[in-house]
Amino acid sequence: MSSLSIALFFYFGDTMENETFLTEEAYKQLQDKLAFLKCEGRIDIANKIKVARSFGDISENSEYDAAREEEAQLEMEITQIENTLRNAKIIDDDQVDSSKVTVGSTVTAYDSKYKEELTFKIMGSFESDPTKGIISNESPIGKALLGHKVNDHVEINLPNGQVMKLKVLAIK
């Protein structure tokens, strides 16, 4: 195992082998980003390294060190995207099981503490955007809701120590 592989393992942990849920659109966006990084990204870094080398002695050349660091970060991002794509499971909205909460479900639930209805779309962590009501299947709320059915009561232990109590009203 190379030192880069070891560094990547410690940086990304075992998430490199976990299944990642993506829509077809997100999968395509990642493919496009990967192609860009492998082509234009690597060319840009190679040019920066070439320019930095032209400054002379690389042992005390901060521009060279910065370019090599940028190269390492680019390669880590490429590896992360490749692993995400390799372990991707495409979510098709037309095939989401609405009898229980799964990844891809849109869940309407009633929060008994605040007496309000909340709507969440549960997706993989890559596509989560809590400000838009899209939460990760790995988040405390997403994880707790998975597998539940309409009319189920769900208690969720939040990271701040509070307990959220929801009743599942609808699943789409």
Side-chain angles (χ1 to χ4, degrees):
M1 184 180 256
S2 72
S3 60
L4 179 58
S5 298
I6 292 168
L8 288 170
F9 176 78
F10 286 111
Y11 182 77
F12 296 113
D14 61 0
T15 60
M16 292 173 66
E17 301 304 323
N18 289 342
E19 194 170 54
T20 303
F21 297 95
L22 299 170
T23 59
E24 245 181 87
E25 180 183 341
Y27 188 87
K28 176 75 172 107
Q29 287 174 349
L30 278 177
Q31 285 181 316
D32 292 346
K33 184 174 184 179
L34 180 63
F36 175 82
L37 293 175
K38 282 183 158 185
C39 200
E40 286 89 351
R42 283 180 171 160
I43 290 170
D44 182 48
I45 296 294
N47 288 334
K48 287 179 181 179
I49 291 171
K50 182 179 176 182
V51 168
R53 278 190 178 146
S54 72
F55 295 145
D57 183 14
I58 61 172
S59 65
E60 295 181 21
N61 185 331
S62 63
E63 288 86 0
Y64 179 79
D65 292 341
R68 295 296 291 189
E69 177 64 29
E70 192 175 339
E71 177 185 40
Q73 289 174 355
L74 175 79
E75 293 304 323
M76 281 184 9
E77 186 174 5
I78 287 170
T79 300
Q80 181 183 26
I81 293 171
E82 287 174 337
N83 285 319
T84 298
L85 292 172
R86 185 178 311 110
N87 297 310
K89 179 171 181 184
I90 305 300
I91 301 300
D92 183 354
D93 285 339
D94 297 333
Q95 296 178 351
V96 174
D97 180 6
S98 61
S99 67
K100 64 181 179 180
V101 179
T102 61
V103 176
S105 295
T106 299
V107 181
T108 302
Y110 181 74
D111 183 337
S112 59
K113 181 177 181 179
Y114 294 103
K115 301 189 183 338
E116 65 181 345
E117 283 187 14
L118 304 170
T119 301
F120 305 105
K121 181 161 180 108
I122 301 175
M123 295 301 295
S125 58
F126 177 77
E127 293 181 85
S128 70
D129 185 351
T131 62
K132 295 180 180 175
I134 303 170
I135 62 172
S136 168
N137 63 309
E138 298 170 12
S139 70
I141 295 171
K143 197 181 296 186
L145 287 171
L146 289 175
H148 284 280
K149 298 179 179 185
V150 172
N151 293 323
D152 281 358
H153 292 270
V154 182
E155 283 194 13
I156 304 158
N157 296 315
L158 300 174
N160 64 3
Q162 293 184 4
V163 176
M164 179 183 231
K165 294 180 183 182
L166 299 176
K167 179 182 179 184
V168 179
L169 300 176
I171 304 168
K172 297 180 198 168

